[in-house]
Amino acid sequence: MNRSLFATLCLAVGLLASAPATAAGGADVHLDAANINLYDQASLQRGARAFITNCLNCHSAQFMRWGHLTQIGLTEDQIKANLMFNPDAKFGDYMTTALDPKDAQSWLGKVPPDLTLAARVRGSDWLYTYLRSYYVDPASPSGWNNEVFPNVGMPHVLHDLQGAYSKVVVGEREVHGKKEPVTKLALDRKGTMSPQEYDAYVRDLVNYMTFMGEPVRAKRIQIGIVVLLFLVVAFFAALVVKKEYWKDVK
């Protein structure tokens, strides 16, 4: 392989590696660690409830079936009684929204995107930070804006829980020879939850959305660990057998 081709391949790999970080909000956006746990079924169940209560009214999860919720420790009866609010929905149906696409286009200006793969596309840390970064913006059509997603179209549907924040200037910094303001979010109106409670609520929601993007992920990781352990044991067993067979060969 010549040097120019090798350099081109290295550049391509570097661009691919940096693409998720750019898509997740850009280099200037600090993302807080979500610290989710896909093995915490109680968290996943709380997150499923939060998703269905707050998100499924406008957004769909059309690649996720209600029956998949049994993988987070819920029974069919529990799912039907506590999560399936549409009496016409069946246990094997996809999790679609009741909002008609034509009505959504008329009322909202566009159809809200499907959220099944949102965590896989954006990343868990991005979602966790995004849902905690809304602030009041009178210049925005919805009255809200977001530090992670500037000029976001979706209003802050969880403001009753989190409260209302405003962006305030706390200083300035020099970037490329120019002075830029340093801002932070300040609480204007308290919500029904404390900041710690809201962070935990969002973490559960993001945990569920991460599960929803790949329901078999936790099981896949478990199987992968078992396979790796088997390969390690098989390697040493093969090494012992090799030494036994070749011990008399000079």
Side-chain angles (χ1 to χ4, degrees):
M1 181 183 295
N2 60 47
R3 184 173 298 178
S4 61
L5 179 58
F6 178 75
T8 302
L9 289 175
C10 289
L11 177 61
V13 171
L15 290 174
L16 288 174
S18 64
T22 303
D28 294 334
V29 177
H30 170 75
L31 300 181
D32 298 328
N35 295 323
I36 61 171
N37 181 3
L38 293 174
Y39 300 101
D40 186 347
Q41 290 196 335
S43 171
L44 290 171
Q45 292 170 13
R46 293 192 299 266
R49 179 79 179 191
F51 178 83
I52 293 166
T53 302
N54 298 293
C55 306
L56 204 58
N57 295 319
C58 298
H59 298 272
S60 62
Q62 61 181 347
F63 304 110
M64 178 74 175
R65 295 184 186 272
W66 291 103
H68 288 161
L69 296 179
T70 57
Q71 298 180 35
I72 60 175
L74 296 173
T75 66
E76 181 175 347
D77 290 339
Q78 289 174 326
I79 295 169
K80 289 180 176 179
N82 301 310
L83 298 176
M84 296 179 65
F85 302 127
N86 182 0
D88 297 326
K90 297 180 180 179
F91 189 66
D93 288 349
Y94 291 106
M95 298 173 66
T96 56
T97 177
L99 181 63
D100 186 89
K102 293 182 179 179
D103 292 336
Q105 184 69 42
S106 175
W107 299 338
L108 307 176
K110 64 182 300 184
V111 179
D114 184 88
L115 295 182
T116 313
L117 302 177
R120 295 188 67 177
V121 173
R122 292 289 191 175
S124 302
D125 292 348
W126 190 94
L127 285 176
Y128 178 68
T129 309
Y130 164 73
L131 291 171
R132 296 161 50 252
S133 298
Y134 271 94
Y135 62 92
V136 176
D137 183 1
S140 170
S142 67
W144 297 95
N145 211 325
N146 193 287
E147 285 198 315
V148 176
F149 194 156
N151 302 317
V152 63
M154 188 181 80
H156 189 13
V157 296
L158 302 178
H159 69 90
D160 286 339
L161 304 179
Q162 185 189 24
Y165 284 77
S166 61
K167 180 181 282 192
V168 296
V169 178
V170 295
E172 62 181 15
R173 62 178 178 176
E174 188 170 323
V175 180
H176 303 302
K178 296 182 179 180
K179 292 185 177 181
E180 294 184 354
V182 176
T183 62
K184 73 171 186 178
L185 299 185
L187 182 63
D188 287 339
R189 173 179 55 81
K190 291 184 178 181
T192 58
M193 292 182 175
S194 68
Q196 294 76 18
E197 290 172 336
Y198 182 75
D199 287 352
Y201 185 85
V202 172
R203 182 175 292 109
D204 291 338
L205 174 57
V206 172
N207 197 22
Y208 169 74
M209 293 181 69
T210 304
F211 159 80
M212 181 171 64
E214 190 179 2
V216 298
R217 178 179 174 181
K219 183 176 292 186
R220 174 172 57 80
I221 293 174
Q222 288 179 328
I223 293 174
I225 293 174
V226 172
V227 170
L228 289 176
L229 291 175
F230 170 79
L231 291 176
V232 170
V233 173
F235 170 78
F236 284 105
L239 190 62
V240 171
V241 172
K242 173 184 176 295
K243 289 183 177 180
E244 181 66 24
Y245 272 97
W246 288 82
K247 65 181 180 180
D248 297 326
V249 178
K250 296 183 180 180

